[in-house]
Amino acid sequence: MRRVALGILAASALWGQQSALDPGGRNAQAIHALLVGFVALLSTIFVIVIVAALVPLFRRHRGIEQEPLERTHQPSEATEKRLGLVVGIATVVTVVILIGLIVVSVSVGKASQGPRRAGTGMTVEVTGNQWWWYVRYYNDNARLIAIDANELHVPVGQPVMIRATSNDVIHSFWVPGLQGKRDLIPSRVNTEWLQADRAGYFRGQCAEFCGLQHAHMAMWLVAHTPADFEKWLSNQLNPAVAPSNSDELRGQQVFLDSACAICHTIRGTTAAGQVGPDLTHFASRLSIAAGTLPNNKGNLGGWIADPQNIKPGTHMATVPVKAEDVQPLLDYLESLK
Ligand code: CUA
């Protein structure tokens, strides 16, 4: 019973929000097809080789071939010719298969890189930081550039070009349901196309060891219908909502008067720090601390009180907040939809 349960658990992990075996877009489908093709072809070859090795042994065992194993006489010329022919054919077939696999593999990799169909689709800059993602939506009009963190929102059915780089060490951007891994390298921009063909949530994870909190460097890619995406984008372009009651107003003052404002930006206020994630629309995000915890007041309270406990090594400072100021601060931050 326990084995069955474990089997079901293992099988269910193959599909879902973070799985290369459950592709949600074109690039991921091409990679998935490549994987299935490789496994099928190589498994077939494996079976053929094993059968070819076992059959003579089996025949010998059954006495079909009576030649002793330690025979010393030279094989006849005909046998040698036949063996040479078989080895020659097998070598040619092997070389052809290997070259074919390389060509297919490289072309799938090339097709996922940019730029393709230049001028169409959206361009998003993804910058790795220890240990969070800075995300910026390009636009020729500077007023239409949106800035986000730890989340990537895309419209369904449209190619999106990712321009990936890093601010510190090498990270790797990987949303298994939508694309292959792309390294984020300091002072270098790597490009890649991705396209989501169904709306939904896709979980991504940094795929290159980048320090203590590498495992807590996740992100959510949200694929919207085009209309929902426009709604999301226009909200992101707005400055932060103003506090709607005295608690939120108090919380805003606490934020602006503390060290929080040195590291974080909240557009529409005097907070303009560039060290940590932009918090203008913080409450619209699914998670805090780059996918570490769901975004709610309880988790946020714990995160602010003791970030090192939740994410040891994080650059998020422990900012002293008076006990009576904690609730107003949480009310304010969770009002920033
Ligand atoms: Cu960033 Cu691992």
Side-chain angles (χ1 to χ4, degrees):
M1 195 63 213
R2 217 172 119 211
R3 260 192 214 163
V4 174
L6 279 173
I8 291 169
L9 196 71
S12 66
L14 301 178
W15 286 269
Q17 288 169 322
Q18 186 175 322
S19 174
L21 299 177
D22 187 11
R26 263 172 221 193
N27 271 0
Q29 256 149 21
I31 294 168
H32 183 250
L34 189 70
L35 171 74
V36 171
F38 263 63
V39 170
L41 179 63
L42 299 181
S43 305
T44 309
I45 293 170
F46 176 77
V47 170
I48 290 172
V49 169
I50 294 298
V51 168
L54 286 180
V55 162
L57 280 179
F58 184 72
R59 283 160 67 107
R60 202 165 267 162
H61 182 72
R62 294 284 300 267
I64 296 167
E65 267 174 33
Q66 290 297 350
E67 292 174 71
L69 279 170
E70 59 285 332
R71 78 180 167 191
T72 49
H73 71 267
Q74 291 294 314
S76 69
E77 211 173 287
T79 310
E80 225 169 42
K81 237 183 183 173
R82 207 188 60 190
L83 279 176
L85 190 69
V86 169
V87 170
I89 290 172
T91 307
V92 170
V93 169
T94 305
V95 169
V96 167
I97 288 175
L98 282 178
I99 290 174
L101 291 179
I102 291 170
V103 168
V104 175
S105 174
V106 169
S107 60
V108 168
K110 280 265 173 218
S112 71
Q113 283 172 21
R116 180 179 54 130
R117 282 190 281 159
T120 62
M122 187 169 85
T123 300
V124 183
E125 179 186 300
V126 174
T127 307
N129 295 271
Q130 283 176 318
W131 291 276
W132 61 283
W133 312 85
Y134 170 91
V135 178
R136 191 161 70 132
Y137 299 80
Y138 280 1
N139 198 294
D140 291 339
N141 182 344
R143 278 178 304 174
L144 298 180
I145 292 176
I147 289 170
D148 202 352
N150 304 327
E151 260 173 37
L152 187 53
H153 293 252
V154 300
V156 164
Q158 286 176 32
V160 176
M161 186 154 108
I162 306 292
R163 291 174 61 83
T165 187
S166 168
N167 265 340
D168 37 48
V169 298
I170 298 176
H171 303 268
S172 180
F173 172 68
W174 191 32
V175 183
L178 290 180
Q179 41 85 262
K181 293 171 188 171
R182 189 62 77 219
D183 274 2
L184 276 57
I185 301 170
S187 321
R188 190 194 149 99
V189 174
N190 281 339
T191 55
E192 180 176 37
W193 284 94
L194 66 80
Q195 178 172 323
D197 288 330
R198 60 166 193 257
Y201 298 95
F202 297 87
R203 194 175 185 277
Q205 167 71 48
C206 179
E208 180 79 44
F209 180 70
C210 55
L212 209 53
Q213 290 300 323
H214 159 67
H216 283 151
M217 188 169 167
M219 68 144 56
W220 282 102
L221 189 146
V222 187
H224 300 271
T225 61
D228 281 351
F229 176 76
E230 286 306 320
K231 241 186 267 171
W232 173 86
L233 187 62
S234 70
N235 182 54
Q236 293 292 308
L237 293 169
N238 292 332
V241 289
S244 64
N245 59 45
S246 59
D247 273 351
E248 288 173 17
L249 190 65
R250 171 93 197 110
Q252 187 187 48
Q253 272 315 310
V254 171
F255 188 94
L256 297 178
D257 293 345
S258 73
C260 304
I262 297 170
C263 290
H264 297 281
T265 291
I266 297 180
R267 278 182 298 114
T269 73
T270 54
Q274 298 289 329
V275 180
D278 183 303
L279 300 180
T280 308
H281 296 283
F282 169 75
S284 71
R285 291 191 195 135
L286 295 160
S287 75
I288 55 176
T292 307
L293 295 167
N295 186 1
N296 58 47
K297 278 186 193 173
N299 286 337
L300 182 61
W303 173 237
I304 291 172
D306 192 0
Q308 293 299 330
N309 186 37
I310 289 168
K311 211 166 162 173
T314 177
H315 299 310
M316 163 92 172
T318 309
V319 177
V321 181
K322 277 189 246 155
E324 65 269 29
D325 287 341
V326 170
Q327 200 57 48
L329 180 61
L330 299 180
D331 287 347
Y332 171 63
L333 288 171
E334 292 294 353
S335 77
L336 299 175
K337 288 281 181 195

